[in-house]
Amino acid sequence: MTGALQQHIGVNAGNFVFVAIYISFVNSLLEEFFFRGFAFFTLKDQVGRTFAYLFSAGAFAVYHIAMMTSWFTLPLFLLLIASLFIAGLLFNWLNERNGNIYASWMVHLCANLAINTIGFILFDII
């Protein structure tokens, strides 16, 4: 995994702390703003709730494909994409319930922190 990160993306032990902070705090907020704040809420008002749920969650899952295609076997990769779709549905539900993107951002941020903790372990930072 660390070899793939270093070779394909340029992430290594020296810059991983900064990458992890960016991914956890900034990128998760940008994704929530776009996929939930813009796509979900706007589509829900314009074309309906069901389409907004499916499109936003689907776009969220598809967005992650490019960065993870070489990381996993095909069955595990498909499971991951399905899980991201389900997470997108959950994020939409949280936002619909609360009327804003903050709840899904907090869940997304915590999920990224958990994933990045694995990166810290793999890079022998912790």
Side-chain angles (χ1 to χ4, degrees):
M1 179 64 77
T2 56
L5 287 171
Q6 291 175 34
Q7 183 179 11
H8 298 295
I9 306 174
V11 175
N12 57 50
N15 63 13
F16 187 75
V17 171
F18 302 106
V19 171
I21 290 169
Y22 171 80
I23 288 170
S24 295
F25 290 90
V26 178
N27 195 66
S28 64
L29 178 60
L30 293 173
E31 287 181 18
E32 291 309 309
F33 178 77
F34 179 74
F35 292 112
R36 259 57 72 183
F38 175 70
F40 176 68
F41 282 129
T42 301
L43 286 172
K44 185 178 161 204
D45 291 341
Q46 299 296 317
V47 295
R49 184 174 184 258
T50 301
F51 182 80
Y53 261 90
L54 296 175
F55 180 84
S56 174
F60 178 69
V62 168
Y63 166 78
H64 289 87
I65 288 175
M67 68 185 87
M68 296 183 293
T69 54
S70 63
W71 293 2
F72 306 102
T73 63
L74 182 60
L76 193 55
F77 178 73
L78 294 174
L79 177 63
L80 179 64
I81 296 303
S83 299
L84 284 165
F85 180 80
I86 291 167
L89 294 175
L90 172 67
F91 291 166
N92 290 337
W93 177 79
L94 286 170
N95 292 338
E96 183 177 45
R97 185 171 182 223
N98 292 292
N100 60 55
I101 65 169
Y102 301 119
S104 67
W105 179 41
M106 288 298 110
V107 173
H108 195 160
L109 187 150
C110 289
N112 284 352
L113 284 172
I115 293 166
N116 288 328
T117 299
I118 296 167
F120 282 112
I121 293 167
L122 291 174
F123 280 116
D124 290 322
I125 297 170
I126 57 171

